[in-house]
Amino acid sequence: MEPGFGRMLYSREVIDDRVKQLAAHVTGVYRGQPLMVAVVLRGAFIFAADLVRHLEEQVDISFVRVRSYGDSTSPQHEPVVRLPDDVEWRGLHVLIVEDIVDTGRSLVALRNALRDEGVASVRSCSFLDKPARREVDCDVDFVGFTLEGSEFVVGYGLDVAGRYRNLPYVATLRPDDPTD
Ligand code: IMP
Ligand code: MG
């Protein structure tokens, strides 16, 4: 770990175990029903790659984007969803795979966009959940780890300004305050 970088929250080993448990849970819920995994770029790419290799259903994969606009460009700061145009969503059972659910706005926007496309069902699986930061009502069906506070975290796909996505573990951004 880089000196002064931050505290490791979840090691590679802990993540591996949890991802296997999650995959077993997802497999049990779908019970052999084919599913379309919608990976939210870019943060969820590592989690999704690990998760799908433990799923026992027939799985297709697509990549979606959700871009959040700041207050300055959009008063309601509604996230903008971009679905790939080569997927026929109608009738599919879709599992959204996210890196982290924070305010919940991205997930709600994506779920609504998929419902508008006529999917048969939509569930969500997020590697991390930060319920303390929630601004909109939004349940996540499968959660890897729940963060109690509002701390910003990086690694295992999650970035800050494009950095640290490739860390194999999850860490906090700032070193612990020695006076804590
Ligand atoms: P929200 O739930 O719409 O607020 O947006 C969630 C998105 O914000 C995630 O998909 C991440 O890209 C980003 N995000 C939120 N919290 C963190 C964090 O702690 N680390 C890295 N990215 C984060
Ligand atoms: Mg994201």
Side-chain angles (χ1 to χ4, degrees), residues 40-44 66 98-100 106:
V40 184
L41 291 174
R42 288 177 271 179
V66 187
E98 256 288 21
D99 52 357
I100 185 165
S106 305

Side-chain angles (χ1 to χ4, degrees), residues 98-106 130 151-153 158-159:
E98 256 288 21
D99 52 357
I100 185 165
V101 179
D102 189 42
T103 66
R105 292 185 184 279
S106 305
K130 250 195 233 179
E151 213 167 10
F152 202 86
V153 298
L158 292 111
D159 73 310

